[in-house]
Amino acid sequence: MKRLTSLLLIIICLCLTGCQSIKSQKKFEVSATVSEKLYKSSYTTFITIYNSQTKSTTLIPIIHPEQYFVTITYKDISETFDSKSLYLSVKEEDKINMILINYYDGEDNLVKQTLKLPE
């Protein structure tokens, strides 16, 4: 019974923390700054699989593709994008046009802000 009560309490807490829903959004064009660029080359890792019937192991390769991270900052909002074309077209400290999206709840309180690349 204690387990059921504890589980019910945890579920109620999780539900209450997620009650803040987004009712509207507003979009603005802003000039943001490229604050960081990071390139990660591709690499391979291996997963070991053990077969208990044959008492043998097999290595399975997992190939991780290269990544081109660009962090863009506007005021105190930062978003990181993995885009090769963006990475190759900008330098750190460049100003680029971005879309700032403000999300509001039912009482017009700001809930969240994000940056998106223009389409």
Side-chain angles (χ1 to χ4, degrees):
M1 186 65 176
K2 285 185 179 183
R3 278 188 163 167
L4 182 61
T5 305
S6 298
L7 181 62
L8 187 58
L9 183 61
I10 290 171
I11 291 172
I12 289 171
C13 289
L14 289 174
C15 289
L16 291 176
T17 57
C19 287
Q20 191 175 32
S21 63
I22 295 171
K23 299 291 183 188
S24 65
Q25 67 181 24
K26 293 180 184 173
K27 297 180 180 182
F28 305 95
E29 280 192 34
V30 296
S31 179
T33 305
V34 176
S35 56
E36 184 179 9
K37 288 174 55 174
L38 176 66
Y39 169 75
K40 284 187 162 186
S41 62
S42 65
Y43 61 97
T44 304
T45 57
F46 294 91
I47 296 176
T48 304
I49 301 208
Y50 178 73
N51 185 338
S52 61
Q53 292 176 344
T54 62
K55 298 187 190 300
S56 64
T57 59
T58 305
L59 290 176
I60 297 178
I62 305 293
I63 300 171
H64 303 273
E66 56 190 359
Q67 296 173 306
Y68 296 85
F69 294 116
V70 179
T71 302
I72 299 176
T73 306
Y74 175 74
K75 293 186 178 178
D76 60 343
I77 306 158
S78 288
E79 297 287 340
T80 301
F81 301 91
D82 183 4
S83 168
K84 182 178 181 177
S85 61
L86 179 63
Y87 182 90
L88 295 174
S89 66
V90 297
K91 297 181 294 198
E92 284 190 28
E93 301 302 320
D94 277 357
K95 297 281 186 187
I96 61 172
N97 291 329
M98 296 292 291
I99 305 295
L100 171 67
I101 304 174
N102 291 339
Y103 297 95
Y104 299 93
D105 64 10
E107 298 172 355
D108 253 1
N109 297 318
L110 184 62
V111 176
K112 179 181 170 185
Q113 293 181 306
T114 60
L115 289 171
K116 287 195 169 188
L117 293 167
E119 296 174 2

